[in-house]
Amino acid sequence: MKNIKKSDGFVAFFNLNRYLCNSYQKRFVMNRIPRIITLWTMLLCAVCLAAQNMMQVSGRVVDAQTGKPLSQATLVAKGTNIATVTNDDGVFLLKLPSGRARVNVSHMGYETAGLTVSENHVKPFEVKLKPTAFMLDEFVVWTEDPHDLIRIAVSKITDNYSKQPERYQTFYREMVKKRNRYISVAEGVVDMYKSAYGRNAFRDGVSIRKGRRIISSRQKDTLSVKVLGGPAFPIQLDVVKNLNFLLSEEELSGYRMSMGEPTAVDGRMQFVVKLEPAMIREYPLFNGTLYIDRQTLAFTQVELSLDVSDRQKATEYMLRKKPSGLRFRPKELSCVVHYRTGDDGITRISYVRNTFAFNCDWKRRLMATPFTAICEMVVTDHTQEGAKPLKGHDTFSTRDAFYDKVDFFLDPAYWEDYNIIPPTESLEDAIDRLMKKR
């Protein structure tokens, strides 16, 4: 178990050879200029053609009482598999086939709201979600013991989740901040294959459909951070499928469990189970919260935060390699995994976000420099048709870095009709500044 956790956990790799990195980037651009021009022209033509059949819906989701923006709110076009989430500013952008559509907007602890959208509506929406009023309707009473509740929920995974292989279209983004300034952004449209639940995830995989990146050119940003695994991390963090990560009997035996206050997701009441470490192991455990649907006992959300109180264990878990003389101090490794139940009654992974924070300093320096790496993935579409394991050069292993397989920021119409998570205001400004310095 220790080896599984070390290989599949989130790790960072530090590359101080800035000169080689910059030289490689220059050769990369020069070798691809003719192809980039051709592709750019083709993409612009494709955008013009596709725009005739698509409409764009945008807006902001806020708390109806406080006006506070709600991040990670889910938007799903009714009768389709098309979906997205809001960014940290509560802003959303959804691209749908032209015509009229009904979009459901939901968030943990809020009542679901509906939008009727059409190609004639051009103004951004402001969606105000009301906090859930706890109306305890009739529901099946399974058990109020958290251990038994999780055990029953695990036994029902094959009933609640897909029994068939599926292919997902996703949008993936990873960002690195030095202090409060973004120094690296990489993002892309990624295909993900998932075999049937109840089976081992070793055949699951991801591959790039298209992607881009940008990095700071400042010489002071000599510490380049890469989160290994790249967009493969949603496969690793699918705790409902990878039971050994958290939900196996062996792993759960290391935790103390308690029932939390109930809440609602998509108008459905949820059991809430709190986890905290109850024993000392050779690797660090998590503090966490599990949300379980009261009717079906499907896991709907998992929130985890690594216990970093033992700095040495946390460092061994989070860090793969560092330069000699560099001191690494872990601060945070947290993640959230959302699952969404579709109109067909099947629950699927829909959103994953991981935050990886640490301080670094050289032995002779007095002040440490804080770094934060954030990865997020949203499922924008899925299908069972033609779902086969992914192969080829653009397929990722859990040790591959997304940043090494994508091009640089170029085309402003790059995403065409793909659904994405719009950048927050601060990230948008950071990209503009980084682009001007190139």
Side-chain angles (χ1 to χ4, degrees):
M1 178 57 60
K2 182 177 179 181
N3 291 334
I4 291 175
K5 283 187 167 292
K6 281 192 174 182
S7 63
D8 290 348
F10 293 98
V11 293
F13 173 74
F14 304 96
N15 179 8
L16 294 180
N17 195 337
R18 198 64 178 169
Y19 174 78
L20 291 179
C21 181
N22 288 339
S23 298
Y24 168 80
Q25 290 177 359
K26 291 175 183 177
R27 292 197 302 272
F28 186 100
V29 173
M30 293 303 295
N31 291 339
R32 283 166 171 73
I33 285 177
R35 190 170 66 181
I36 287 171
I37 293 173
T38 304
L39 287 176
W40 197 345
T41 304
M42 293 174 62
L43 287 173
L44 288 175
C45 293
V47 170
C48 293
L49 292 173
Q52 299 173 6
N53 302 315
M54 301 294 290
M55 63 179 179
Q56 184 168 290
V57 183
S58 63
R60 193 163 173 258
V61 181
V62 300
D63 184 300
Q65 295 182 354
T66 65
K68 179 182 177 181
L70 297 177
S71 64
Q72 300 174 29
T74 300
L75 294 97
V76 182
K78 198 170 182 180
T80 75
N81 298 326
I82 301 174
T84 190
V85 298
T86 57
N87 66 14
D88 290 343
D89 295 330
V91 174
F92 67 87
L93 180 65
L94 189 62
K95 299 171 186 177
L96 301 169
S98 295
R100 290 177 63 86
R102 183 71 174 173
V103 177
N104 288 335
V105 186
S106 60
H107 192 283
M108 180 74 69
Y110 290 84
E111 296 178 9
T112 299
L115 290 178
T116 300
V117 301
S118 69
E119 54 193 312
N120 297 324
H121 188 100
V122 295
K123 293 183 179 180
F125 288 90
E126 183 174 63
V127 184
K128 297 181 179 180
L129 297 187
K130 299 177 181 178
T132 303
F134 292 104
M135 302 295 293
L136 296 180
D137 297 332
E138 230 178 274
F139 59 84
V140 179
V141 179
W142 298 94
T143 176
E144 289 294 334
D145 180 271
H147 296 79
D148 290 341
L149 180 63
I150 294 177
R151 191 176 297 114
I152 298 172
V154 169
S155 72
K156 293 179 68 64
I157 286 175
T158 53
D159 296 329
N160 288 321
Y161 299 82
S162 181
K163 297 181 177 66
Q164 302 295 326
E166 295 188 322
R167 189 160 182 160
Y168 296 75
Q169 183 176 297
T170 75
F171 177 75
Y172 171 81
R173 177 184 288 141
E174 62 185 41
M175 304 155 285
V176 178
K177 296 170 68 175
K178 180 180 180 181
R179 298 188 177 89
N180 294 319
R181 180 171 54 84
Y182 288 96
I183 62 173
S184 171
V185 180
E187 55 189 12
V189 177
V190 174
D191 289 325
M192 177 168 63
Y193 169 82
K194 295 191 73 66
S195 57
Y197 278 72
R199 295 186 178 183
N200 195 294
F202 74 94
R203 300 190 73 186
D204 295 3
V206 296
S207 66
I208 298 175
R209 183 171 295 193
K210 63 188 309 184
R212 62 185 188 179
R213 61 174 175 169
I214 190 169
I215 189 170
S216 170
S217 58
R218 291 189 182 186
Q219 291 299 316
K220 290 184 178 180
D221 296 331
T222 54
L223 190 63
S224 177
V225 182
K226 297 180 182 179
V227 179
L228 296 185
F233 82 96
I235 294 175
Q236 299 170 279
L237 274 183
D238 186 353
V239 297
V240 175
K241 191 167 193 181
N242 299 325
L243 297 180
N244 287 337
F245 186 88
L246 179 68
L247 296 178
S248 68
E249 289 286 348
E250 179 185 356
E251 284 300 303
L252 288 174
S253 66
Y255 289 91
R256 184 179 303 109
M257 306 180 199
S258 61
M259 299 300 295
E261 291 293 325
T263 189
V265 178
D266 291 338
R268 299 174 65 92
M269 294 302 298
Q270 308 288 312
F271 290 110
V272 179
V273 179
K274 301 286 187 179
L275 303 178
E276 57 180 328
M279 64 172 57
I280 298 175
R281 287 186 169 170
E282 64 272 22
Y283 51 85
L285 300 179
F286 291 88
N287 290 288
T289 305
L290 309 179
Y291 298 85
I292 304 172
D293 187 280
R294 281 182 178 264
Q295 292 286 348
T296 65
L297 291 193
F299 292 93
T300 55
Q301 184 161 311
V302 178
E303 300 169 356
L304 299 173
S305 179
L306 189 72
D307 180 6
V308 296
S309 57
D310 188 319
R311 184 179 297 176
Q312 182 176 349
K313 285 184 181 180
T315 298
E316 291 175 355
Y317 186 91
M318 296 166 66
L319 185 65
R320 281 289 302 281
K321 185 177 180 181
K322 70 177 182 66
S324 177
L326 183 73
R327 292 186 292 194
F328 176 90
R329 298 181 180 180
K331 292 175 58 181
E332 176 189 359
L333 194 165
S334 62
C335 56
V336 58
V337 186
H338 293 218
Y339 296 87
R340 183 177 69 246
T341 302
D343 295 336
D344 56 4
I346 297 176
T347 302
R348 299 174 174 88
I349 191 168
S350 61
Y351 178 77
V352 183
R353 182 183 176 101
N354 181 67
T355 302
F356 180 36
F358 52 92
N359 285 348
C360 286
D361 68 281
W362 298 95
K363 291 182 178 179
R364 294 184 179 181
R365 290 187 180 179
L366 296 177
M367 301 295 292
T369 302
F371 289 86
T372 306
I374 301 171
C375 305
E376 60 181 340
M377 181 280 297
V378 59
V379 173
T380 58
D381 207 346
H382 66 84
T383 182
Q384 292 182 354
E385 295 181 11
K388 297 180 180 179
L390 300 170
K391 298 178 181 179
H393 173 72
D394 291 329
T395 302
F396 284 86
S397 73
T398 56
R399 295 181 178 273
D400 288 333
F402 180 78
Y403 191 85
D404 289 334
K405 291 194 176 186
V406 294
D407 298 339
F408 299 98
F409 278 71
L410 287 173
D411 184 3
Y414 185 79
W415 297 122
E416 303 172 292
D417 292 322
Y418 291 112
N419 276 295
I420 68 169
I421 305 172
T424 62
E425 184 177 353
S426 58
L427 179 57
E428 196 169 41
D429 291 342
I431 292 173
D432 287 341
R433 287 194 297 271
L434 291 172
M435 288 286 286
K436 291 175 183 178
K437 292 175 182 177
R438 294 200 62 81

